[in-house]
Amino acid sequence: MILSLRTASKTYTTETIDLSFGIIEDIINVLDFDNISNTKQIGLTVLKCSKQLKPFLKELFPEVSDEELRTVKSSNIVEIFKEIYHYITSELGNVGEATKN
């Protein structure tokens, strides 16, 4: 999975093939996936939790400064979390399937 964070002056990219448990745990603690069923709900949830998500974004994109992070469009942040949401739900579903024997 490739994620891109676009600031006013630069685009930061991270290639994340496998998210660590800590990152997944942080996302699950902040975003209520049980009550998210569409992109609009993801967007509203991300915006409501913006202060909690800043450290998470800085972990994914360690090169980005606080000032640059302030220039990122909300649609880009929603896009990132939508990708992560789909990744987590598909990967966690696959893990359950892989362990059934």
Side-chain angles (χ1 to χ4, degrees):
M1 170 174 59
I2 297 175
L3 301 172
S4 296
L5 181 74
R6 293 180 297 281
T7 68
S9 61
K10 186 175 179 180
T11 298
Y12 296 90
T13 304
T14 185
E15 187 171 337
T16 307
I17 296 170
D18 196 17
L19 295 172
S20 70
F21 178 73
I23 290 177
I24 292 172
E25 185 178 46
D26 290 345
I27 294 169
I28 290 171
N29 286 335
V30 172
L31 303 178
D32 183 10
F33 288 121
D34 291 336
N35 296 314
I36 295 176
S37 61
N38 62 45
T39 301
K40 181 179 178 183
Q41 288 174 325
I42 294 171
L44 291 173
T45 303
V46 166
L47 293 175
K48 286 179 184 176
C49 301
S50 62
K51 287 185 186 239
Q52 294 166 301
L53 298 177
K54 183 178 176 182
F56 173 74
L57 287 169
K58 292 200 63 156
E59 185 175 339
L60 281 177
F61 304 96
E63 307 86 17
V64 70
S65 69
D66 288 349
E67 200 58 40
E68 287 176 301
L69 199 52
R70 292 177 55 84
T71 69
V72 176
K73 303 286 186 197
S74 60
S75 59
N76 184 208
I77 294 172
V78 169
E79 180 183 313
I80 289 168
F81 282 94
K82 189 170 86 172
E83 289 294 320
I84 292 171
Y85 169 77
H86 291 298
Y87 175 81
I88 289 173
T89 55
S90 68
E91 286 302 307
L92 292 180
N94 289 338
V95 168
E97 292 299 316
T99 58
K100 290 181 183 177
N101 285 328

